[in-house]
Amino acid sequence: MRNLKVFIAYNGADYHGFQRQENALTVQEVVEKAIGKLLKIPPPVIYGCSRTDTGVHARRFCFNVHIDSNIPCDGFIKGMNTLLPDSIAVLSCEDASEEFHARYCTKAKEYVYLINNKPSRDVFLQALAYHYPYELNVKKMNEAARLFVGEHDFAGFCRSEGKARVKSTVRTIYELSVSQKEGICEIKIRGNGFLYNMVRIVAGTLIYVSEGRRTLGDIETALKTGDRSFAGVTLPPEGLYLNEVFYEEPTASAAELLQNIKKLHTTELGAERIKNNLRLETGDVVEWCRKVIQSRGVKIIQKGKNWYISANGVTITVNAKSFTIITAHRQARQR
């Protein structure tokens, strides 16, 4: 018996979420039937990495399935993509250990919430992004986003009936950022786990901050008290994507660094060194480094006593104990 680890992508507009239901079409049901048809067996049970709500999408969703077949992994991919509807695609397939479980082996997940921030509706994004036609203050949203990074009790950012499903509402957020390009706003959040509707409520809270309907103090109060009224609205499902699933332990130090971003400092010699290395004109080297560390796509690893932060073609070295910025330099270009 083999245990296959499979990644798929799906457009959730036509489905009532991933998990099988009695009287509604789901992604799990469609995929299981396709596997059964491909292998000429009764549809096997697949085990998904997460539940997704009606209308929610996935760019990289993982499931595992036990099969008694010698079909090659590339044959499985090709065969499944022939049988599946256009709204679901198999991205990869590999043999996994017998102990691997797509849900219980997950170390972290990353979600993206897409907002069409153009004045007019985009007919091609109707079921793929939330339409918000008013101006967004991305700077204020990112200021608020920093408050969520780290370990917190997110009871105030969870739908009430979802609290009964879990033993604890404490979660760790490794990254939360907001970016905008050509009228599309992207909210990206990565953490060790998420509560029911948590991402959609966090996204709604960031919009409320942009509108001035919530303050940074309100977010802090919601995190401390669990009072849902201090958070924002739950945004619709069509803008939500499960973006990535991680099966390796994420760097816990990344959350620690981001949570203590205000503690960063440098010496006079260090500031001069960084200015010379990067040819910076700015007088505030520390603030410049903070912006790099909080930028989209940043990679943070810890080796020995230092953090090494890479983003935007720059590597910054920070002492993990004192939060001193030691140096920064541009990454060598690969030839």
Side-chain angles (χ1 to χ4, degrees), residues 239-253:
L240 184 60
Y241 295 74
L242 177 58
N243 200 50
E244 184 62 273
V245 188
F246 301 91
Y247 289 100
E248 294 181 2
E249 193 70 47
T251 307
S253 61

Side-chain angles (χ1 to χ4, degrees), residues 97-165:
S97 66
E98 184 179 345
E99 296 78 21
F100 176 77
H101 191 288
R103 179 181 177 187
Y104 299 122
C105 292
T106 302
K107 301 299 183 183
K109 297 174 186 174
E110 181 177 272
Y111 283 89
V112 162
Y113 196 90
L114 287 187
I115 301 171
N116 171 19
N117 196 213
K118 301 173 185 177
S120 300
R121 293 194 310 272
D122 186 331
V123 296
F124 301 105
L125 291 176
Q126 283 295 87
L128 299 174
Y130 168 55
H131 182 220
Y132 182 85
Y134 312 105
E135 184 178 356
L136 286 171
N137 189 325
V138 175
K139 182 179 179 180
K140 285 178 64 176
M141 294 170 74
N142 272 310
E143 288 175 358
R146 294 172 197 140
L147 298 177
F148 292 98
V149 176
E151 184 180 84
H152 302 285
D153 188 336
F154 286 93
F157 297 86
C158 174
R159 192 169 170 175
S160 57
E161 56 264 39
K163 298 175 187 178
R165 300 179 180 178

Side-chain angles (χ1 to χ4, degrees), residues 26-61:
T26 66
V27 175
Q28 182 176 9
E29 177 186 346
V30 173
V31 173
E32 287 176 347
K33 286 182 177 179
I35 295 174
K37 190 172 182 179
L38 176 67
L39 302 181
K40 297 179 174 56
I41 59 173
V45 176
I46 65 175
Y47 302 94
C49 62
S50 179
R51 297 171 175 171
T52 57
D53 292 337
T54 299
V56 173
H57 319 289
R59 290 173 173 166
R60 280 181 61 80
F61 183 101

Side-chain angles (χ1 to χ4, degrees), residues 172-229:
T172 300
I173 298 301
Y174 303 115
E175 176 190 353
L176 177 55
S177 61
V178 184
S179 60
Q180 187 163 11
K181 184 178 181 181
E182 298 179 352
I184 301 298
C185 178
E186 179 182 279
I187 299 172
K188 180 182 288 187
I189 183 169
R190 178 164 47 92
N192 66 352
F194 296 89
L195 305 171
Y196 188 31
N197 282 174
M198 176 176 157
V199 178
R200 289 160 60 187
I201 295 171
V202 168
T205 303
L206 294 180
I207 286 184
Y208 269 23
V209 169
S210 174
E211 295 175 338
R213 300 172 65 178
R214 292 293 185 274
T215 66
L216 301 187
D218 290 331
I219 294 175
E220 292 173 336
T221 299
L223 291 171
K224 290 178 181 178
T225 66
D227 190 334
R228 176 74 178 82
S229 66

